[in-house]
Amino acid sequence: MSATTNLLSLKSFRNPNPFLNPNPNPNSSFSLSVPRRKTLALTLKAVLSESPEPTTTAAATNHCFSRSSDGHLSVEGVRVEEAMAKAERTPFYLYSKPQITRNFEAYREALRGLDSVVGYAVKANNNLRILEHLRSLGSGAVLVSGNELRLALRAGFDPKRCIFNGNGKLLEDLILAAKAGVFVNIDSEFDLENIVTAARVAGKKISVLLRINPDVDPQVHAYVATGNKNSKFGIRNEKLQWFLDAVKSHPNELKLVGAHCHLGSTITKVDIFRDAAVLMVNYIDKIRAEGFELEYLNIGGGLGIDYYHAGAVLPTPMDLINTVRELVLSRNLKLIIEPGRSLVANTCCFVNRVTGVKTNGTKNFIVIDGSMAELIRPSLYGAYQHIELVSPPPHDAEISTFDVVGPVCESADFLGKDRELPTPPKGAGLVVHDAGAYCMSMASTYNLKMRPPEYWVDDDGSLVKIRHGETFDDYMKFFDGL
């Protein structure tokens, strides 16, 4: 790739947290056009990036967002600026339905030859239309609350392909799970007690898995590490015998069918999954030796994605499954996997309009109508999500380093920091990429910003609304009749 080509596609990649969003080349810098430059450093960065292009994964080459030769950002052939013209308002979330399908099919292909369940982690994105689509493709559902269970049932998921997780499951939700007939993970002593009570209230035996904390370091941000000894999740492996004896003492309420672990999120090294699987099959051997007929190994989810759009070589679903395939077959187990982020994150961008550009003398800011209220990952985790303009900037636009911020009354309200971008005109479109997971599902109404609408580009290329934007009138309904 020539330096001129690099200058024609400027993107800045900085990694505030290398575990959350790995970037193989943090010094690379590319640009969308050839606007006037403020500093020599920008040109030098482009020259320094003149090196062989990194190998890309299949997922990267099939990314649903692309920039046409005339400089316009599109999704599945539909210009984002056209979607902006049709949407009820900005900001909004824009998905690719075909990319969701492609992501799921990557798991289905990887699991060929294994008796398996792909359980989509509903917490990643709980849009009903997305759930219905994944269910139609053959997905199960992984649930962490009673309302997620209700939503999964409303979306038509087969209860026998649903797993109820969580370290603090409520009794009322466990009763609902027992009545529905979903799998339930045992997470603690009190959790086991509540599950037994729920079985008695519902009058049904519950199929359970033991969630064992394998104490494996997933090498990710501490907030999303769930399988090490400091985590609140799972039973201590040294207490395994106590739990086996407890399950044996409740033959009318519990049927132990499997073992489960979950290491964390944004994992980029599949050897970590194999390390955990080796430990887990050893536990399964011990459990079977106690007379239990275990069928399932649930290795959780957590596969990372390329948030930097830098062509990082990251593990694919096939890479992940191949690390555990022989272990699963050697014990004649059914494999459960719980992807969330890797199914939906790269299917979506968060679309905003530029309210204006300002400087405080030391920092430059692009102020947009979206905020931490609609997309909190950067503020919460220090996470990087790639940002770019929707349309070509004016030919004389200067490239500067900006913080991209919203209107919320918090200094924590930023979508990206220190991003080198062409100075956008007022009203320009700007997107935050890879917003399909843990973005809309974590949105709030802070500062009374109403949660935004959601759209997807359908298989036929049409733009379809899949969630209405919330309104002030919706908010006021919570006070009706009080």
Side-chain angles (χ1 to χ4, degrees), residues 166-169 185-189 191-192 195 209 211 232-235 243:
N167 69 299
K169 298 184 286 291
N185 279 326
I186 297 174
D187 191 89
S188 65
E189 293 89 342
D191 196 38
L192 186 148
I195 294 169
L209 294 84
R211 178 167 182 170
K232 69 177 183 177
F233 297 100
I235 68 172
F243 280 91

Side-chain angles (χ1 to χ4, degrees), residues 372 379 405-414 446-447:
M372 65 183 291
S379 299
V405 301
V408 163
C409 193
E410 289 271 356
S411 292
D413 179 26
F414 62 89
Y446 187 43
N447 283 200

